[in-house]
Amino acid sequence: MVGYQVYVLSFADSSGDGIGDLAGITQRLEHIAWLGADIVWLNPFYPSPGRDHGYDVSDYCAVDPKHGSMEDFREFADKAHSLGLAVVVDVVPNHTSSDHPWFQESRDPNSPKRDWYIWRDPAPDGGPPNNWVAHFGGPAWTLDEASGQYWCHLFLPEQPDLNWRNEEVQQAFDDIFRFWCEMGVDGFRLDVAHALMKHPDFPDNPVISEPQPGMGARDIFWCYEHRHDLDQDDNVQIFRRWHEAVAPYNALLLGEIFVTEGHRFARYVSEGALDAAFHLPPMWANWQPAQLVREILDLCEHAPEEVSWILSNHDGSRPVSRFGGGERGVRRAFAVTTAMSALGGLPFIFQGEELGLPDSEIAADDLSDPQATRNEGKESRDVCRTPMPWDSSHINGFTTAPKAWLPAPPRPPELTVEGQMANPDSPIFAYRNLIHLRKTHPEIWNTPLDKAEALEPEVLQVSRGNIRLVANLSPNPFTATLNTPATPIFTSSCIAGEDVENKQAGTTHQIPPETSVIFQTAT
Ligand code: ISL
């Protein structure tokens, strides 16, 4: 399957209030079906004060009125299914909103919910219990004056972390999974699933390098080795429990897992745990093809069928911009996406990727992402969260409101869906053709991986059954010598209007720079 990620706030606004909603997505589902995707993943649409744009949930089993109603969700899911699209919703198990009734109750030290969150006494000097830092800046602990204890939050103070060592918390999420399965969802994307369990003794994390003044929150976060707050071995027990909870519904469990080593990743997607997990580093990296090839090989070795390959999501700069911008950025991004489509697993694209969109420019006063507003505009995730450009009308057809919730300069006609549909050489057709190739040639993904290797540091070759992929991510042409004659069936350079020079079967093929080619052998 191929997944398509919809950022609910910014896909389509049917109510005219400038905020994306479920009914708007329902009206636009044909676009996703036309591309050939099989799964649509929705970012959170649950009631939320919106401090982290929906990742601060105050009720897991309802729809936020700004995104519509439960009836709108039913209509969305029914139409998705009628178009052959499976529905994946986001579940945020690591933390709730501080507005969630569970946390409100938990603030009372005598409440039965006290242990649902992570409360600790101050350090002897009265400061936070340990040196853990939050992803969005500052310590991972906030003092509750009333009780004299700190609560733990790996993200905003308004996103208190749940205590996953508490059985009742585990049961509450079993119920949430069942609720949405009964509502007809086909799977779950599990937010920061690598962070659920914390070391039971809460020791300090080792310091790799001292944080320096002026550093952004993300850089400060990586000054520490996250030995005790992330990636604890017993996360897998939670995943096994979830697996049991959703087994009667055969629902997909797709983790957002941030671990960089293949063997750690493999534990999370082992038999009876998660079905698949995102490999996240490519969605932050600039153009570093050798590193990308190394990471791909590591994962192919340890989890060849369980990786959800992505180049972007709602959490960072778009690949076209990270990879040099303009036509070059588009070409590089599609070369990697083409390679990823032949790696097995479950590739996803993020809304707008199919248009080759670069980042949006956001005026300083309009920044909305807490990672930016708390960090002097640094590390903004807003750049990829602006309205989907449908056409060249007011706000690119996203809304009839005078202003979108996240204003940005309008996209030119050639970067809109309507503009690209009128031009068969535009990126939208290249992405569609690639997705459809997986349907006409299912052996691209359904035959076991035979071999993945680096022919040069920036050149990846993958062999599976009668399929060969050569991803030449280097700046030079590469002469591929295959062990058996093969015919090119797809080249990523189609996104630049180029075709393969020689469509004949042969063992030797010239691969242009920054181009991935998929071949089929005769046997
Ligand atoms: O650096 C990380 C390792 O812990 C991050 O990649 C982390 O996995 C990522 O920032 C988590 O993102 C998700 O959870 C956040 C939310 O703001 C993001 O939008 C969401 O994708 C908190 O819920």
Side-chain angles (χ1 to χ4, degrees):
M1 288 185 156
V2 174
Y4 186 95
Q5 179 190 352
V6 166
Y7 193 63
V8 176
L9 277 160
S10 297
F11 198 62
D13 168 24
S14 71
S15 66
D17 63 358
I19 301 171
D21 49 45
L22 294 173
I25 301 168
T26 306
Q27 287 166 10
R28 295 287 190 181
L29 273 173
E30 280 83 358
H31 170 71
I32 302 170
W34 176 84
L35 278 171
D38 310 283
I39 299 177
V40 51
W41 152 33
L42 300 184
N43 283 104
F45 51 79
Y46 317 110
S48 161
R51 295 211 166 81
D52 188 19
H53 299 108
Y55 283 95
D56 47 330
V57 179
S58 53
D59 180 353
Y60 287 87
C61 296
V63 174
D64 193 305
K66 65 178 172 283
H67 297 309
S69 64
M70 210 48 126
E71 191 45 37
D72 291 339
F73 181 80
R74 278 197 202 93
E75 282 174 19
F76 158 78
D78 285 350
K79 182 164 169 192
H81 290 149
S82 72
L83 290 170
L85 290 162
V87 173
V88 166
V89 299
D90 220 308
V91 168
V92 187
N94 180 65
H95 43 265
T96 67
S97 160
S98 51
D99 287 8
H100 197 295
W102 298 341
F103 187 69
Q104 292 300 322
E105 272 186 58
S106 182
R107 295 193 84 135
D108 172 358
N110 300 315
S111 128
K113 294 251 174 1
R114 184 68 169 180
D115 187 50
W116 279 42
Y117 292 83
I118 301 172
W119 294 96
R120 284 288 173 284
D121 287 333
D125 67 356
N130 63 25
N131 72 349
W132 295 2
V133 290
H135 286 69
F136 300 149
W141 300 92
T142 294
L143 180 65
D144 175 48
E145 303 276 351
S147 70
Q149 284 197 310
Y150 282 83
W151 75 83
C152 178
H153 52 87
L154 295 186
F155 292 86
L156 295 174
E158 296 85 359
Q159 291 171 299
D161 280 30
L162 285 160
N163 174 16
W164 273 90
R165 299 193 184 277
N166 180 304
E167 169 64 21
E168 288 173 2
V169 168
Q170 301 195 10
Q171 281 172 16
F173 275 84
D174 292 349
D175 292 343
I176 291 164
F177 287 126
R178 286 193 201 104
F179 174 86
W180 286 106
C181 286
E182 292 290 340
M183 289 295 295
V185 317
D186 306 291
F188 301 93
R189 179 265 186 189
L190 304 151
D191 191 58
V192 277
H194 57 289
L196 302 182
M197 291 293 209
K198 279 76 178 172
H199 191 291
D201 300 332
F202 292 85
D204 276 358
N205 278 325
V207 181
I208 300 169
S209 59
E210 281 301 328
Q212 300 301 316
M215 270 186 172
R218 193 182 284 164
D219 288 340
I220 294 178
F221 191 81
W222 292 116
C223 287
Y224 296 86
E225 185 203 326
H226 291 274
R227 191 185 295 176
H228 304 302
D229 55 344
L230 304 179
D231 192 24
Q232 303 299 292
D233 281 336
D234 38 17
N235 283 329
V236 181
Q237 290 167 24
I238 307 285
F239 303 153
R240 294 193 188 286
R241 178 180 178 125
W242 292 349
H243 192 99
E244 294 296 312
V246 304
Y249 304 93
N250 196 26
L252 173 81
L253 292 178
L254 170 60
E256 189 212 23
I257 294 292
F258 187 81
V259 290
T260 44
E261 291 160 330
H263 69 277
R264 302 288 301 169
F265 185 99
R267 290 159 39 254
Y268 288 163
V269 292
S270 57
E271 189 64 34
L274 301 178
D275 297 300
F278 289 109
H279 173 56
L280 296 175
M283 58 134 304
W284 287 298
N286 292 331
W287 185 244
Q288 292 158 349
Q291 183 180 324
L292 188 67
V293 169
R294 275 197 307 276
E295 286 171 4
I296 289 175
L297 292 178
D298 183 31
L299 283 165
C300 285
E301 184 182 338
H302 292 100
E305 308 299 338
E306 295 86 7
V307 182
S308 210
W309 300 102
I310 54 167
L311 256 191
S312 70
N313 66 17
H314 62 292
D315 282 341
S317 170
R318 288 183 176 272
V320 169
S321 296
R322 280 183 283 121
F323 292 173
E327 286 179 10
R328 184 156 214 207
V330 172
R331 181 186 183 111
R332 288 171 163 176
F334 194 57
V336 178
T337 299
T338 301
M340 287 177 166
S341 80
L343 294 176
L346 179 54
F348 263 79
I349 60 171
F350 174 54
Q351 67 181 51
E353 213 172 320
E354 73 276 29
L355 302 172
L357 286 187
D359 287 343
S360 288
E361 283 183 26
I362 318 273
D365 286 351
D366 290 328
L367 287 174
S368 178
D369 168 23
Q371 185 160 285
T373 55
R374 294 164 55 98
N375 288 287
E376 298 157 354
K378 291 192 203 77
E379 301 174 350
S380 170
R381 300 176 297 178
D382 289 322
V383 292
C384 71
R385 296 178 173 180
T386 51
M388 177 75 177
W390 294 104
D391 55 39
S392 296
S393 66
H394 173 72
I395 314 192
N396 290 126
F398 164 71
T399 181
T400 53
K403 226 173 151 185
W405 73 275
L406 179 60
R411 304 282 195 173
E414 64 276 14
L415 288 180
T416 65
V417 173
E418 186 184 64
Q420 295 203 3
M421 292 293 271
N423 173 9
D425 289 331
S426 59
I428 206 170
F429 285 96
Y431 277 85
R432 180 176 193 253
N433 290 344
L434 178 64
I435 296 171
H436 279 264
L437 185 78
R438 287 172 56 104
K439 298 189 194 306
T440 53
H441 294 76
E443 58 277 21
I444 290 173
W445 50 269
N446 74 4
T447 45
L449 181 82
D450 295 320
K451 196 170 184 186
E453 60 191 316
L455 302 177
E456 284 183 4
E458 297 178 334
V459 181
L460 172 74
Q461 179 171 301
V462 173
S463 312
R464 53 187 335 129
N466 65 345
I467 295 294
R468 303 285 177 276
L469 161 82
V470 181
N472 174 22
L473 305 181
S474 81
N476 309 310
F478 180 80
T479 306
T481 309
L482 306 172
N483 58 1
T484 175
T487 313
I489 53 171
F490 191 86
T491 173
S492 67
S493 62
C494 68
I495 204 155
E498 294 167 19
D499 203 350
V500 270
E501 275 173 21
N502 179 5
K503 284 210 174 139
Q504 302 301 310
T507 50
T508 305
H509 296 268
Q510 279 289 327
I511 317 275
E514 299 174 344
T515 301
S516 296
V517 180
I518 299 175
F519 299 91
Q520 188 172 35
T521 66
T523 49

